[in-house]
Amino acid sequence: LRAVPDAAYPRVLQQLLAVRYTSQALTVTNEGKGGEKVVDGVGRAQSVINANRPEAVLILDGYNDLGLGEAGIDPAIAAITTIAKDARFRGARVFIGTLTPPPVGVNRGLSNTTVTRFNAKLRDVARGENAVLVDVYDACAGNPNAYNSDDGRHPNEAGYRRIAETFFAAIQRELEVR
């Protein structure tokens, strides 16, 4: 897989925000770390939140934890809850994205059942932490193969764009003054 930094969803989201909110200086900081499990990144996430004091925190995490199958669900959910709680405590509006559906006919080691169980628990976390649920799964469910790279584990450029557009729509709904 060849990483394309300009295609990553935080970069695309930054572009969408800049076009929509021309009179504001908005910054999207990508603090994702490839290969990291959310259970291993809690301390790093808390440090990033403490250092940057963001107004909004977008969480889209857990795929690497699900490499353990069903056993990875509860520890990952606990870690995301901790990150969301910490961000909310520090005054940030929290947006939690569901995981994208696995591609059809491509074995990437994750079953759709595991992903949907994880996403159901994410919905509970969002409700419990008064976070905005960003349903990335639903946004990509119509044709999951169109949004996945050839390896079946990562989004392709269309997938990153779809993720960014889905977060963008949620940000507009939640934060835009009407």
Side-chain angles (χ1 to χ4, degrees), residues 17-178:
L17 291 167
V19 168
R20 174 75 178 176
Y21 306 107
T22 57
S23 66
Q24 298 178 44
L26 302 172
T27 302
V28 177
T29 304
N30 184 355
E31 292 293 340
K33 185 176 178 186
E36 181 179 65
K37 293 178 182 171
V38 67
V39 297
D40 296 330
V42 172
R44 191 175 65 77
Q46 290 173 321
S47 295
V48 167
I49 292 166
N50 287 337
N52 294 301
R53 301 286 185 192
E55 293 179 39
V57 171
L58 283 56
I59 302 170
L60 180 60
D61 211 340
Y63 266 115
N64 293 326
D65 301 79
L66 296 186
L68 300 171
E70 298 286 321
I73 292 176
D74 287 338
I77 291 296
I80 288 171
T81 302
T82 298
I83 294 168
K85 190 179 298 295
D86 186 58
R88 186 174 51 82
F89 176 75
R90 301 201 181 288
R93 188 68 173 117
V94 178
F95 294 78
I96 298 175
T98 57
L99 299 182
T100 58
V104 177
V106 178
N107 183 2
R108 71 173 185 181
L110 292 180
S111 73
N112 192 50
T113 301
T114 301
V115 172
T116 56
R117 284 186 183 148
F118 182 80
N119 284 342
K121 291 189 176 208
L122 280 178
R123 286 176 173 80
D124 293 339
V125 172
R127 274 191 296 278
E129 292 304 320
N130 195 28
V132 177
L133 181 78
V134 181
D135 201 343
V136 176
Y137 181 95
D138 189 56
C140 297
N143 188 0
N145 290 32
Y147 301 114
N148 278 282
S149 64
D150 291 340
D151 73 357
R153 293 183 172 272
H154 300 90
N156 59 21
E157 287 188 39
Y160 284 127
R161 173 155 289 283
R162 188 72 174 137
I163 293 166
E165 290 168 345
T166 306
F167 271 101
F168 179 67
I171 289 166
Q172 282 185 289
R173 278 191 311 275
E174 277 302 306
L175 302 179
E176 198 169 275
V177 176
R178 307 229 184 281

